[in-house]
Amino acid sequence: MQTVTSIKNAKNRTPLTVITAYDALFASIFNNRTDMILVGDSLNMSFNKKPDTLSATLEIMIYHTNAVCKGAPDTFVICDMPFGTYTDEQKALKNASRVYQETDAHAVKIEGGIERAHIIKALTSNSIAVVGHIGLMPQYVRSEGGYKIRGKDEKDILKLIEDAKAVEKAGAFLLVLEGIKADATKRITEAVSIPTIGIGCGNATDGQVLVWSDMLGFFQEFQPKFVKKYLDGASVVEKAVDEYVKDVQNRDFPAQEHTY
Ligand code: KIV
């Protein structure tokens, strides 16, 4: 099982693999397969049909993180700190401590660059392992006026490099980069000594993360360009459920072998 130290040492080595999970059932399938599991607040959209991540609460994240830790006891688990739970150092420390005390998560993830460095520092100096997250930050959707690809010009690239360095200096051991142009991603990754994990950032990061329901084809609302669909999960399930309905209606199920 990965640790904070082994993850830090993975810089410039075999790319790290991360998948999201929200429940014990899928977490147990992913257990020991990827280096890390992220309990992302993206669950608010894929599990809860909400338009964004903003209404996910700490209670929701703790509930799902507990389920994932139960299902994947041999995998490094990261819990997303939801919107509004880390607006100042004291609040962040209180809420991240709850995650550590009420779940077996190994680390928490926080969105934000230089403006959040003091929050990251408050957690890391109190023995809480922090994953940073910069670039396209879903919790900033309203303040930014939408989801915008970052790193399109030199000014923004320099800002992102400054953000990455501030997050690293504050003590984060890993940095998620989301929705950043590939050449900018390469420069950010080279500018820090902690590993970067990309989503929608191309191939230059130290690892990749995908949302499980996107990559396994269960989330059907839309498919972003950066997602590779490894399974057509929804079609597989639809076909199976249709077959079950047909079997029941035809009295083909339960058969003799399913009967006491
Ligand atoms: O919430 C989430 O799933 C995430 C990933 C997209 C990195 O933050």
Side-chain angles (χ1 to χ4, degrees):
M1 173 160 140
Q2 295 281 5
T3 62
V4 166
T5 307
S6 65
I7 292 165
K8 268 176 149 174
N9 289 339
K11 180 88 186 168
N12 298 324
R13 299 216 180 130
T14 307
L16 292 162
T17 53
V18 188
I19 191 168
T20 68
Y22 312 131
D23 64 88
L25 187 65
F26 273 89
S28 67
I29 299 171
F30 305 152
N31 187 35
N32 261 331
R33 288 206 149 73
T34 58
D35 292 306
M36 288 166 263
I37 291 179
L38 168 66
V39 188
D41 56 1
S42 53
L43 65 82
N44 213 38
M45 286 128 97
S46 54
F47 261 39
N48 229 349
K49 283 262 176 192
K50 295 283 168 61
D52 52 45
T53 61
L54 300 184
S55 56
T57 62
L58 189 63
E59 280 64 36
I60 289 175
M61 295 310 298
I62 286 175
Y63 174 87
H64 287 277
T65 301
N66 262 321
V68 168
C69 291
K70 274 260 179 328
D74 311 310
T75 305
F76 192 99
V77 174
I78 302 160
C79 169
D80 239 349
M81 293 298 291
F83 179 76
T85 61
Y86 50 95
T87 47
D88 62 50
E89 288 109 315
Q90 276 195 335
K91 193 170 182 182
L93 193 52
K94 181 167 163 266
N95 288 329
S97 298
R98 275 195 64 193
V99 171
Y100 261 19
Q101 290 182 318
E102 296 176 36
T103 80
D104 288 329
H106 302 88
V108 298
K109 178 165 80 60
I110 284 198
E111 291 183 13
I114 201 158
E115 78 283 8
R116 287 274 156 74
H118 64 297
I119 306 279
I120 296 172
K121 179 86 187 148
L123 300 187
T124 56
S125 59
N126 281 285
S127 325
I128 295 174
V130 176
V131 179
H133 181 157
I134 65 167
L136 186 162
M137 296 177 286
Q139 291 180 14
Y140 288 56
V141 61
R142 289 190 201 162
S143 62
E144 290 289 317
Y147 300 108
K148 295 187 181 143
I149 298 302
R150 300 284 309 272
K152 286 185 176 170
D153 57 49
E154 188 61 18
K155 189 168 167 233
D156 197 37
I157 295 171
L158 293 177
K159 165 81 175 95
L160 288 164
I161 291 174
E162 192 187 20
D163 281 338
K165 285 183 170 169
V167 168
E168 176 182 26
K169 189 159 174 249
F173 70 97
L174 183 68
L175 178 60
V176 169
L177 303 178
E178 179 167 358
I180 301 174
K181 296 281 283 181
D183 45 351
T185 298
K186 187 166 184 292
R187 287 174 60 187
I188 299 162
T189 295
E190 285 168 358
V192 290
S193 56
I194 53 173
T196 58
I197 299 289
I199 177 161
C201 290
N203 212 355
T205 48
D206 299 295
Q208 297 289 331
V209 56
L210 279 178
V211 171
W212 80 268
S213 41
D214 291 341
M215 64 169 286
L216 298 182
F218 285 98
F219 187 70
Q220 293 176 295
E221 254 90 300
F222 61 91
Q223 191 188 327
K225 176 184 163 72
F226 62 82
V227 173
K228 179 171 174 183
K229 215 160 142 183
Y230 287 86
L231 180 75
D232 201 355
S235 305
V236 172
V237 171
E238 278 162 9
K239 218 169 133 229
V241 173
D242 288 349
E243 207 175 309
Y244 161 68
V245 167
K246 210 168 98 217
D247 278 358
V248 171
Q249 289 172 342
N250 292 340
R251 296 199 181 278
D252 288 333
F253 176 83
Q256 198 55 45
E257 69 262 34
H258 310 117
T259 306
Y260 293 109

